[in-house]
Amino acid sequence: KILVAAVQSPHTTTAMADDRLDGVYLNLAQQAGSIEPLLDSFFGFLLRKTDFYTGIADEKEAEKMVMKYFSKYSKQGKKKREDEAEKNRLADEERKRRAAEKRKKEEEEFNRRQGELKSQPKIEEVVDEEPKITEVVDEPMPAADEADKPAEDKKR
């Protein structure tokens, strides 16, 4: 068995234990900055504080143990990714369906208004044709120079 100085039961895998350590792991991950330094730090911890590397007869057993838990969580991660992808796909379909419904309603409303406008009487400006002259005046029009003379001169 591998001895771990800080943990009494290394096989505790209940959700409560995982949740209990999440704060510690989150703090470590934030300090490490990314996954690779976090893993490097963890395996360094196993070297310095446990017999993970020194207490085993076969390195393949240690690698097998690491891969066992990697595979376990990798499968869960894959399922979570697939579930998220399906959730996103369904949400996209719903958004598209709502957008199509909205577009259809807007088109129906537009067509309804267009129909109303066509059925309403149109307001048009009525322009009278030029007035027709129906009276004929028999008197000749005065010449231009006679029109300028005062009325008294015309009588003479």
Side-chain angles (χ1 to χ4, degrees):
K1 279 197 161 179
I2 296 176
L3 302 175
V4 179
V7 180
Q8 291 181 2
S9 176
H11 300 290
T12 305
T13 59
T14 64
M16 185 179 83
D18 290 343
D19 290 348
R20 181 177 51 91
L21 296 175
D22 281 352
V24 174
Y25 291 133
L26 184 59
N27 187 20
L28 291 172
Q30 287 171 338
Q31 288 181 19
S34 67
I35 298 296
E36 282 192 43
L38 177 64
L39 291 174
D40 184 45
S41 176
F42 179 72
F43 285 107
F45 163 77
L46 291 178
L47 174 65
R48 291 186 309 276
K49 301 295 181 177
T50 71
D51 64 348
F52 181 75
Y53 294 103
T54 59
I56 56 172
D58 184 11
E59 273 187 30
K60 294 292 181 190
E61 286 300 315
E63 189 174 328
K64 186 177 175 182
M65 185 186 313
V66 169
M67 291 309 297
K68 171 184 168 185
Y69 291 105
F70 172 82
S71 295
K72 172 185 175 181
Y73 291 105
S74 178
K75 289 174 187 174
Q76 291 176 9
K78 181 179 178 184
K79 181 172 179 1
K80 186 175 180 179
R81 273 193 315 273
E82 290 170 352
D83 291 347
E84 285 292 319
E86 179 66 11
K87 180 181 172 184
N88 290 340
R89 186 188 65 78
L90 292 173
D92 286 345
E93 285 179 2
E94 180 65 17
R95 277 192 293 276
K96 287 176 185 177
R97 184 190 62 77
R98 286 183 184 172
E101 276 182 16
K102 182 179 179 183
R103 190 171 39 255
K104 183 179 177 184
K105 285 180 182 178
E106 288 172 351
E107 287 175 3
E108 288 172 354
E109 179 66 17
F110 176 79
N111 292 335
R112 184 186 64 77
R113 287 185 181 171
Q114 292 298 316
E116 287 176 359
L117 288 175
K118 286 180 182 178
S119 66
Q120 291 179 354
K122 294 181 180 177
I123 299 175
E124 294 181 18
E125 181 179 357
V126 178
V127 179
D128 290 337
E129 294 180 19
E130 294 228 2
K132 295 180 183 176
I133 299 176
T134 55
E135 262 183 55
V136 177
V137 178
D138 289 337
E139 293 182 25
M141 291 187 73
D145 54 326
E146 286 182 19
D148 292 338
K149 293 182 183 176
E152 291 178 16
D153 290 341
K154 286 183 183 178
K155 291 182 181 177
R156 291 186 208 171

